[in-house]
Amino acid sequence: MNSKTYISLLLVLVSLVWAGSFVAVRITVKEISSVDLGFLRFLVATPFMVLILLLSKKETRLPIKDFLSLSVLGLTGVTLLYIFQFIGIEQTTASTAAVLINTNVIFVVILSATFLKENFLFKKSAGIALSFFGVLVVIFAQMTNESIVFSNVFLIGCIFMVLSALCWAIYSIVGKKLLDKYDPFTVTTYAFVLGTIFFLPVVLPDITDVVQNISFNGWISILYLSLVCSVFGYVAWYYALSKIEAGRAVIFLNLIPLFTIVISFFTGEIPTFLFLIGASLIIYGVYLTQKN
């Protein structure tokens, strides 16, 4: 097996693993609150990330002058990102959430053009318009899906998913300058540490009782989200980025909603034809925005 094939298969596996997280969260939030689940995910994952960073012998010290930027990364890339995302998954469906989170690429393009003065080509404009139209189609399709019971809660969940996508875009834009200066894995590990700390004011009052009442299946889900999705996923992702161009790697992320829809099907979520059209519009729109 040549190296390109190996990296491609690794990125497919990462996409599959991250797709599974939407289904895992959807099942687990029935037992553990969204905020507590997000905290426990990173409480377990962060020490492993720190250990890997230390063993890798990469530079571990970052200047104090960058602490504010690192704090923003922790807040938007971990704390708020996953609070919004897990609440959104809880109030919608795994497949809906996975499709809507893909709009993060659209927000990255908009913010890059606004704050980083990057080129805003016609294809990108068309991709943005197409993706947001796809979002409307997905929401309408799911609200008319008779196999799922909906209320205003569903719309609120969709808003939370879009806010989660916006958080990732802010994380990407703020982190761009740091990633140009420092090792990406080091920056990510700092974001994990700070993001976990920022969870504390919200979870401290009841986290002890929550931990004592988690079931065996609940712990399996936490370990999957922390060790497989966070630790393995991020390590594999950055390894792939060190071997191929970022533009090629990002394309594989479009597989996440597709994998989620397939996995969700086996858990009882039946997508409508209109939903699949909307999902396709979003994915194709994202593809257009990623083209030069």
Side-chain angles (χ1 to χ4, degrees):
M1 182 185 299
N2 61 48
S3 60
K4 287 186 177 180
T5 302
Y6 171 75
I7 295 301
S8 295
L9 290 176
L10 182 63
L11 287 171
V12 170
L13 179 59
V14 169
S15 298
L16 179 60
V17 162
W18 283 345
S21 71
F22 289 91
V23 179
V25 170
R26 177 66 179 164
I27 294 171
T28 312
V29 289
K30 296 176 182 178
E31 175 186 348
I32 307 170
S33 76
S34 303
V35 176
D36 290 331
L37 181 59
F39 171 68
L40 290 171
R41 170 178 179 166
F42 286 94
L43 182 66
V44 175
T46 299
F48 284 92
M49 293 288 284
V50 172
L51 179 61
I52 293 170
L53 177 61
L54 294 175
L55 292 176
S56 68
K57 299 181 179 180
K58 296 177 183 292
E59 178 59 52
T60 58
R61 295 183 181 181
L62 298 183
I64 295 296
K65 64 182 177 67
D66 290 320
F67 181 77
L68 179 59
S69 295
L70 289 168
S71 296
V72 173
L73 295 189
L75 190 63
T76 59
V78 174
T79 315
L80 291 178
L81 173 71
Y82 286 99
I83 287 176
F84 291 158
Q85 185 179 126
F86 286 7
I87 292 175
I89 295 172
E90 180 180 14
Q91 296 178 347
T92 58
T93 65
S95 53
T96 302
V99 168
L100 293 181
I101 199 65
N102 231 33
T103 58
N104 64 70
V105 176
I106 307 304
F107 288 120
V108 168
V109 171
I110 294 174
L111 293 179
S112 295
T114 304
F115 296 104
L116 301 181
K117 307 303 180 184
E118 293 186 0
N119 292 333
F120 201 78
L121 303 177
F122 174 75
K123 282 186 178 180
K124 291 186 177 182
S125 301
I128 290 170
L130 197 61
S131 289
F132 278 118
F133 179 68
V135 168
L136 296 177
V137 173
V138 164
I139 293 174
F140 175 78
Q142 291 295 70
M143 290 189 71
T144 57
N145 187 346
E146 296 180 358
S147 66
I148 306 173
V149 178
F150 288 98
S151 64
N152 290 335
V153 171
F154 174 76
L155 284 176
I156 293 172
C158 290
I159 292 172
F160 272 113
M161 288 309 305
V162 174
L163 286 175
S164 178
L166 178 59
C167 280
W168 180 258
I170 295 172
Y171 171 87
S172 301
I173 298 303
V174 173
K176 183 173 176 58
K177 292 184 178 180
L178 290 176
L179 295 175
D180 288 340
K181 294 189 294 182
Y182 310 118
D183 176 74
F185 191 82
T186 302
V187 173
T188 301
T189 302
Y190 268 84
F192 270 43
V193 172
L194 291 170
T196 304
I197 293 172
F198 293 148
F199 267 110
L200 292 177
V202 184
V203 302
L204 275 182
D206 64 348
I207 193 62
T208 301
D209 292 335
V210 170
V211 170
Q212 290 175 345
N213 292 292
I214 297 175
S215 68
F216 176 77
N217 288 338
W219 279 115
I220 292 297
S221 180
I222 290 170
L223 292 175
Y224 173 75
L225 292 170
S226 58
L227 301 183
V228 181
C229 296
S230 293
V231 179
F232 166 76
Y234 278 85
V235 171
W237 173 254
Y238 284 119
Y239 174 77
L241 286 180
S242 71
K243 301 297 182 180
I244 65 172
E245 300 86 355
R248 284 187 57 205
V250 168
I251 293 174
F252 284 86
L253 298 183
N254 292 325
L255 294 173
I256 294 176
L258 301 179
F259 283 146
T260 305
I261 291 170
V262 174
I263 298 171
S264 298
F265 177 81
F266 293 100
T267 65
E269 291 185 12
I270 310 299
T272 63
F273 180 69
L274 188 58
F275 171 84
L276 295 177
I277 291 177
S280 299
L281 290 174
I282 292 174
I283 293 169
Y284 185 63
V286 167
Y287 169 74
L288 287 179
T289 62
Q290 292 172 337
K291 294 187 69 176
N292 294 327

